[in-house]
Amino acid sequence: MSHRVAVTGIGVVSSAGIGKEAYFKSCSRGLSGIKKCGLFPTEKLATDLFGEIDEGDFPPLCECPAGENRVKALMRPAVEEMMRDSEMDRAAIASYGPDLQLCFGTLVAISDGIAGYTARGKPAGWLEHVNDYLPWLRDFCGAEGGCWVSSAACAAGTTATGMAFDFIRNGLCRACIVGGADPLTESAAVGFHVLNALSGGMCNPYDEARDGINIGEGAAFFFFERLEDALRRHAYIYGEILGYGLTNDAYHITAPDPEGAAVARAMEDAVRDAGLNFSDVDHVNGHGTGTVINDQMELDAIDSASGGRKPSATSTKALIGHCMGASGALELAAVLLAIENEVYMPLPNLSHPVKTGVHIASRPYPCKIGIALSNSFAFAGNIASVLVGRYDG
Amino acid sequence: MKPRDVAIKGIGPVSAQGTDAASVWNRLNGEIAETTGKLKGELEFTVNLPASRLRRVGRYSRLALAGALEAWKDAGIELDGISPFRRGSIFTTGYGSLVSNVTFSESVAKGDPNSCSPTLFAGTVANSCVGHVCMELNLKGVSTVLMGGNIFVYSKLLLDTDKADVIFAGAVEEYSQDLWHSLEKNEVASGVEINEATVVFVLEQVDEGTHDAYCVLGAGASVGLSGFPLITMIDPAMTKRTIKLALRDCVEKNKDKGDIDAVFSSSNGSYFDEVEERAIEEELPRSLIVSGVKGFLGETMGCAFSLNVAAAALCLKNRSIPLSLTRGGSYDADFRNLLVTGFDPAGNYHCLALRRLG
């Protein structure tokens, strides 16, 4: 038996705002959270601009993985907000037993622990604990079911969303806590620097003058449940997850296939999964990193897959940076909030849009979004696309 | 139309007891005298590809490649007849590419970003293993890497819902001198023999009556423990309750397939063995407990559950549970249904039912 999957709670922590309302308020006005970095030295990097969260009480990097650290500190307020928002406390979540699973996406959650290990002279009793944030997360929210951690690099958050949707739809469980989190780390900054992928200024997705990414950090969490359960308990419904597609470029370990065939296929699979056509898609929250190859490839893939009716497209990367494995979760929040508020998040730095049939806007664009795709692409060729729908009762 | 079963068609291990399924079975069965699973460090293995293709492939990804190529050979399937977009790759790991991560982190700490290696950075992502496997075998379908989770349950779901025709499902845990040294000093883990390993499975849907596979995948169940039992002493009473919950859930999901004949437990010589054994005895009192897999292959952390599945699949195919695994005499009765358990570094406890073909 197939179940419809409703999203009934959202929690967000980002450089553009702590909490879903602050996040949406800043982003929908085009106010970027990208700023000069204070977490690590940037003098020798291509940029000092990062989507760092400097509002609130977040520990510095390289703290012990078994104790309090930055990734846990990012997750805590996002999970708390999601629980409040969905009217689910620990006891309510625990009452599901194995019928509630955790689906989580991350890329660098353990990197911070590894950096701390090397910075402190490789102490014993440290390294084996780099995964300890997961039992902590489970305990913090009261989940008793399994924890599925997608580590498909920058596609991790969107992949976790798709998995959770599939589990509930096909009756493997009744509900999922879904999310993604990644801290801003020096290792990631240096890594993208040596790959020549960092922007020299503010990243500028879908612009002819785009020159690379700004790295960010953040967390977003959601409560997914069967639609019938949500209706029964009179939960507020942000929208429905309708389908998803996962593919792999099988092309290069860090560069996307410029032909974009696997990207187009993932989007088409997501739409087909929902029994819809691409012409039904109103909006695409793109991966839109601001790199030369990615953005052209992605727009071409959207253009070719969409046929006659072109959707609008945007990217949150200029607003919060590229939040690595958390980006898919933060972008899902952007899509759901755009559907709710009937305005999608703009591209604040856009001045010369790439020539494409897809509508790209630099300013907040009021529109009623019925069906939207959210895309994430990653190192090692992993691609994920999730289809989200407005719930009209 | 009758729903088709998902079967294990091929197994590609890189383990302390061999780098192909037949060798591992022969050792399990005592036909090759080699009783200890203890390794000194890195396994020796070869990847059957030209050196030029492996030039920028780290050891973590080479382990995955070796397993995937062997599993493909073992399955004997032609990939050419299957669209690349219908060939999936679902992998798991406990600690990912830890060696690359530590090395890259050390280079970052030196304070000269321009001297850091982009190739090394690319190898730090946990999914780099799947990237290389996908490039080599042209797998463009469903794909991800988990650092916690049950690859069999997810792969079966993807195959059952027609999202793929074939899935390479694998697990990789690479030796890291730093991690192994730290584990030696961990009070809970210090007595446990810890090894690196890889195992990759070729999973496909099969028609009823097929004999060309190891076994059929049943349903699984996953629950959360309050920590990774290899490194953390977790409350025995609560843990037993949690394990029983998972066992009950798994048995319930497979109840139409008959009784569970034997349970391949996650026993590794630690305090956890007794907790799990009591839970199994209370929940499945008539089932044989097979507790010797890790004594034979070592505790392989993020790969351990998958290796346990491989051992059970070999037993189902060969219709025998050898002495080396039972520690109490070989078991050649007419068993059909096995349940495999395991835990992972994300603090999950998994169960999976396997069924004999035919």
Side-chain angles (χ1 to χ4, degrees):
Chain A
M1 184 182 170
S2 183
H3 301 272
R4 289 168 69 178
V5 179
V7 185
T8 55
I10 301 176
V12 179
V13 171
S14 80
S15 60
I18 311 289
K20 64 185 171 71
E21 283 178 18
Y23 172 60
F24 183 76
K25 194 173 169 186
S26 295
C27 289
S28 61
R29 292 174 185 179
L31 302 174
S32 176
I34 296 170
K35 56 185 83 72
K36 190 169 163 38
C37 176
L39 270 178
F40 46 78
T42 56
E43 298 78 21
K44 295 178 181 174
L45 299 176
T47 185
D48 59 1
L49 296 174
F50 291 85
E52 176 188 338
I53 300 172
D54 57 1
E55 171 195 354
D57 184 20
F58 295 97
L61 294 170
C62 302
E63 295 297 309
C64 180
E68 176 67 358
N69 57 35
R70 197 168 179 89
V71 72
K72 288 179 192 168
L74 291 172
M75 290 194 286
R76 184 180 291 109
V79 173
E80 282 174 339
E81 183 182 28
M82 175 276 293
M83 289 169 69
R84 273 197 311 275
D85 198 39
S86 58
E87 298 182 328
M88 283 282 161
D89 59 17
R90 284 185 87 253
I93 289 169
S95 71
Y96 281 87
D99 247 345
L100 181 145
Q101 303 273 312
L102 254 167
C103 292
F104 178 71
T106 186
L107 167 57
V108 297
I110 68 169
S111 299
D112 184 33
I114 294 167
Y117 169 75
T118 56
R120 285 167 172 76
K122 300 186 171 184
W126 185 294
L127 207 51
E128 66 267 36
H129 290 285
V130 291
N131 289 305
D132 278 10
Y133 70 95
L134 293 166
W136 173 87
L137 173 61
R138 180 186 283 125
D139 180 59
F140 185 71
C141 62
E144 293 190 353
C147 184
W148 303 72
V149 184
S150 169
S151 195
C154 301
T158 301
T159 303
T161 299
M163 291 174 71
F165 160 71
D166 226 359
F167 293 161
I168 298 171
R169 177 174 61 171
N170 289 292
L172 271 65
C173 61
R174 280 173 49 212
C176 285
I177 289 173
V178 186
D182 260 335
L184 174 60
T185 67
E186 187 176 10
S187 285
V190 170
F192 282 96
H193 168 82
V194 293
L195 284 168
N196 294 316
L198 292 180
S199 169
M202 294 288 268
C203 89
N204 201 354
Y206 306 139
D207 193 284
E208 292 286 2
R210 67 195 182 279
D211 68 343
I213 69 172
N214 300 117
I215 300 175
E217 64 180 344
F221 279 85
F222 309 88
F223 196 80
F224 286 13
E225 60 187 306
R226 293 177 178 179
L227 177 64
E228 62 263 37
D229 291 346
L231 293 172
R232 196 176 302 120
R233 71 182 187 93
H234 305 294
Y236 179 78
I237 297 169
Y238 286 92
E240 289 182 78
I241 308 299
L242 302 174
Y244 77 117
L246 303 180
T247 57
N248 193 295
D249 257 348
Y251 176 76
H252 188 274
I253 206 70
T254 56
D257 176 2
E259 299 292 320
V263 168
R265 177 66 181 236
M267 292 190 290
E268 288 161 358
D269 282 352
V271 172
R272 198 177 303 120
D273 200 26
L276 298 171
N277 298 310
F278 212 106
S279 58
D280 297 316
V281 176
D282 302 311
H283 177 66
V284 180
N285 190 103
H287 186 56
T289 53
T291 60
V292 172
I293 297 175
N294 174 82
D295 291 11
Q296 189 67 58
M297 174 275 292
E298 184 177 25
L299 289 173
D300 289 349
I302 296 168
D303 207 1
S304 71
S306 57
R309 181 174 178 261
K310 304 296 178 192
S312 60
T314 189
S315 162
T316 61
K317 301 290 196 296
L319 299 163
I320 55 173
H322 188 341
C323 300
M324 308 282 106
S327 59
L330 286 154
E331 288 160 20
L332 176 63
V335 170
L336 288 163
L337 294 169
I339 289 173
E340 182 188 37
N341 292 281
E342 301 191 354
V343 57
Y344 69 67
M345 296 184 179
L347 294 155
N349 309 319
L350 190 74
S351 53
H352 298 94
V354 172
K355 288 183 179 58
T356 173
V358 180
H359 175 75
I360 305 167
S362 59
R363 286 175 295 176
Y365 186 79
C367 68
K368 187 168 180 176
I369 300 168
I371 306 284
L373 277 168
S374 188
N375 290 339
S376 295
F377 317 145
F379 279 8
N382 282 111
I383 291 161
S385 186
V386 64
L387 193 73
V388 184
R390 168 188 293 276
Y391 178 72
D392 285 323
Chain B
M1 200 168 97
K2 274 191 88 170
R4 300 171 80 204
D5 286 321
V6 173
I8 296 175
K9 295 288 295 281
I11 301 177
V14 180
S15 77
Q17 301 290 3
T19 54
D20 64 85
S23 299
V24 172
W25 174 251
N26 287 338
R27 290 195 170 102
L28 277 172
N29 213 18
E31 288 168 24
I32 297 175
E34 190 158 341
T35 54
T36 178
K38 178 72 176 170
L39 288 174
K40 293 282 182 281
E42 295 179 348
L43 283 161
E44 285 182 18
F45 66 98
T46 53
V47 184
N48 292 320
L49 290 172
S52 59
R53 297 248 280 277
L54 297 170
R55 201 162 52 87
R56 291 186 177 174
V57 181
R59 194 168 176 283
Y60 168 71
S61 295
R62 288 182 188 212
L63 281 163
L65 273 172
L69 293 170
E70 177 57 33
W72 181 34
K73 186 174 135 194
D74 190 47
I77 59 165
E78 289 290 335
L79 287 178
D80 288 347
I82 303 170
S83 160
F85 286 110
R86 301 285 298 172
R87 309 173 190 168
S89 53
I90 306 295
F91 275 56
T92 189
T93 176
Y95 287 90
S97 48
L98 195 56
V99 176
S100 297
N101 268 287
V102 170
T103 308
F104 190 75
S105 187
E106 286 172 330
S107 69
V108 170
K110 288 176 183 163
D112 180 13
N114 291 320
S115 69
C116 296
S117 161
T119 303
L120 182 60
F121 176 63
T124 62
V125 295
N127 60 328
S128 56
C129 63
V130 107
H132 288 290
V133 169
C134 287
M135 282 190 280
E136 205 50 56
L137 295 174
N138 199 23
L139 313 179
K140 294 191 172 189
V142 289
S143 176
T144 195
V145 169
L146 305 175
M147 291 185 85
N150 185 329
I151 53 169
F152 302 98
V153 167
Y154 188 45
S155 298
K156 179 171 158 41
L157 174 64
L158 292 166
L159 288 162
D160 282 344
T161 54
D162 197 32
K163 285 195 159 81
D165 290 332
V166 59
I167 290 180
F168 286 72
V172 186
E173 201 69 278
E174 183 192 14
Y175 172 78
S176 152
Q177 192 178 61
D178 290 286
L179 178 62
W180 262 240
H181 282 177
S182 202
L183 287 167
E184 279 171 11
K185 291 173 185 162
N186 180 291
E187 279 184 11
V188 184
S190 59
V192 179
E193 292 188 353
I194 298 165
N195 285 346
E196 73 169 355
T198 293
V199 61
V200 180
F201 301 82
V202 173
L203 305 177
E204 271 191 326
Q205 285 196 317
V206 293
D207 292 315
E208 197 177 10
T210 188
H211 296 284
D212 184 22
Y214 284 87
C215 61
V216 168
L217 298 187
S222 296
V223 294
L225 302 170
S226 57
F228 178 26
L230 177 66
I231 60 168
T232 310
M233 190 71 78
I234 51 181
D235 177 63
M238 192 167 73
T239 303
K240 192 174 88 173
R241 185 187 72 85
T242 306
I243 292 172
K244 287 176 71 172
L245 195 66
L247 293 168
R248 203 173 306 147
D249 192 22
C250 194
V251 168
E252 174 67 21
K253 287 172 179 168
N254 291 284
K255 65 182 177 188
D256 59 328
K257 306 297 182 192
D259 291 341
I260 300 294
D261 298 302
V263 180
F264 279 55
S265 75
S266 61
S267 173
N268 66 5
S270 74
Y271 77 97
F272 191 79
D273 297 3
E274 193 181 337
V275 180
E276 186 188 35
E277 203 159 307
R278 292 290 88 78
I280 295 169
E281 283 170 354
E282 288 177 23
E283 206 58 42
L284 292 159
R286 290 200 297 272
S287 303
L288 173 76
I289 299 177
V290 181
S291 58
V293 175
K294 288 183 183 172
F296 196 72
L297 293 161
E299 169 58 71
T300 58
M301 301 185 286
C303 189
F305 176 59
S306 299
L307 272 184
N308 217 10
V309 169
L314 283 164
C315 291
L316 280 166
K317 187 180 183 188
N318 291 287
R319 301 195 176 201
S320 171
I321 302 175
L323 177 66
S324 60
L325 299 184
T326 61
R327 295 173 180 166
S330 61
Y331 184 76
D332 296 316
D334 186 29
F335 59 90
R336 299 190 63 79
N337 295 304
L338 302 180
L339 195 147
V340 184
T341 73
F343 50 77
D344 66 31
N348 289 307
Y349 184 82
H350 302 294
C351 300
L352 179 73
L354 297 178
R355 201 167 72 249
R356 202 173 77 193
L357 288 169

